[in-house]
Amino acid sequence: MELIQDTPDLAAYLAADDAIDHEHPVVRRTVAMLSADAPDAYTYAEAAITFVRDAIPHSVDSGDPRVTWRASDVLEKRTGICYAKSHALVALLRARGIPAALCYQKFEAVHGLIALKLPGRERWVRQDARGGEAGAGAQFRLDREQLAFTVRPEFNEVDYPVLFAEPHPAVLQCLRDAVDRPRLAQLLPTAL
């Protein structure tokens, strides 16, 4: 699948916004911690992906009722669904100068993941920070994708090819409107 930037300006994939608040002190402290053992962009990207995937439980798996949507909140509270975990991962990558985008897949509900563009590479590579039991197979790979879920077109599942510089409005709205995770489950978008 060919991935398509929603804007040709690569700087948009380094920008901060309300959800990707990579200038927040919590994000900066996490970047510093991850950078200590990751001197280059490649090892840092792998460390960031592994950290968000493994150290921040997916709230459905853990039963955590809290809803997070800002990267800093995800990192501070150590919980989030796939969208929120993706916001945190994108913030960690952008804070280190690695262009990162938000991507989505459609199953029964829309699933969030990311793509990154490492120095010296021409193409974007999708990664999945889902983690937990359902996403145990997601791994940091540059040679091929190893995401949490594989799309099955025969079941009307979709890999959206667009690389979003900002969270999709439907995703951000459901996260902002949910008072807790049970309510969030009712608000999850089923398509983009």
Side-chain angles (χ1 to χ4, degrees):
M1 172 178 68
E2 182 180 345
L3 299 173
I4 304 161
Q5 292 180 209
D6 74 337
T7 177
D9 183 8
L10 196 59
Y13 298 96
L14 293 168
D17 61 28
D18 284 347
I20 314 296
D21 57 344
H22 65 69
E23 295 170 357
H24 191 281
V26 171
V27 177
R28 292 298 180 170
R29 281 194 302 273
T30 307
V31 170
M33 185 251 322
L34 294 171
S35 294
D37 294 325
D40 60 63
Y42 293 85
T43 55
Y44 176 80
E46 182 173 15
I49 290 165
T50 301
F51 175 78
V52 173
R53 185 192 67 208
D54 298 348
I56 299 172
H58 190 285
S59 58
V60 171
D61 297 337
S62 67
D64 194 323
R66 297 174 295 171
V67 176
T68 54
W69 60 273
R70 280 190 177 94
S72 58
D73 290 340
V74 173
L75 295 171
E76 185 173 28
K77 295 177 181 175
R78 297 289 174 105
T79 191
I81 66 164
C82 59
Y83 311 139
K85 289 179 62 144
S86 293
H87 297 170
L89 180 52
V90 166
L92 292 172
L93 294 168
R94 288 181 182 184
R96 184 71 189 262
I98 300 170
L102 296 154
C103 311
Y104 303 96
Q105 296 174 308
K106 176 192 167 294
F107 299 99
E108 287 183 21
V110 173
H111 171 60
L113 53 149
I114 71 111
L116 58 96
K117 190 168 188 179
L118 289 166
R121 292 190 151 310
E122 291 186 24
R123 66 182 191 90
W124 289 86
V125 180
R126 292 191 310 170
Q127 304 289 329
D128 199 331
R130 166 65 171 82
E133 290 180 31
Q139 299 294 320
F140 175 76
R141 298 199 60 142
L142 299 176
D143 59 334
R144 66 178 175 82
E145 290 183 347
Q146 191 167 341
L147 307 175
F149 307 110
T150 302
V151 164
R152 300 167 301 173
E154 65 271 20
F155 293 104
N156 294 321
E157 297 172 352
V158 178
D159 262 324
Y160 293 110
V162 178
L163 300 169
F164 292 92
E166 298 176 351
H168 190 280
V171 166
L172 201 51
Q173 191 66 48
C174 80
L175 291 170
R176 286 179 169 167
D177 288 352
V179 294
D180 58 22
R181 195 179 39 76
R183 178 67 178 137
L184 178 61
Q186 300 169 345
L187 299 173
L188 293 174
T190 56
L192 297 181

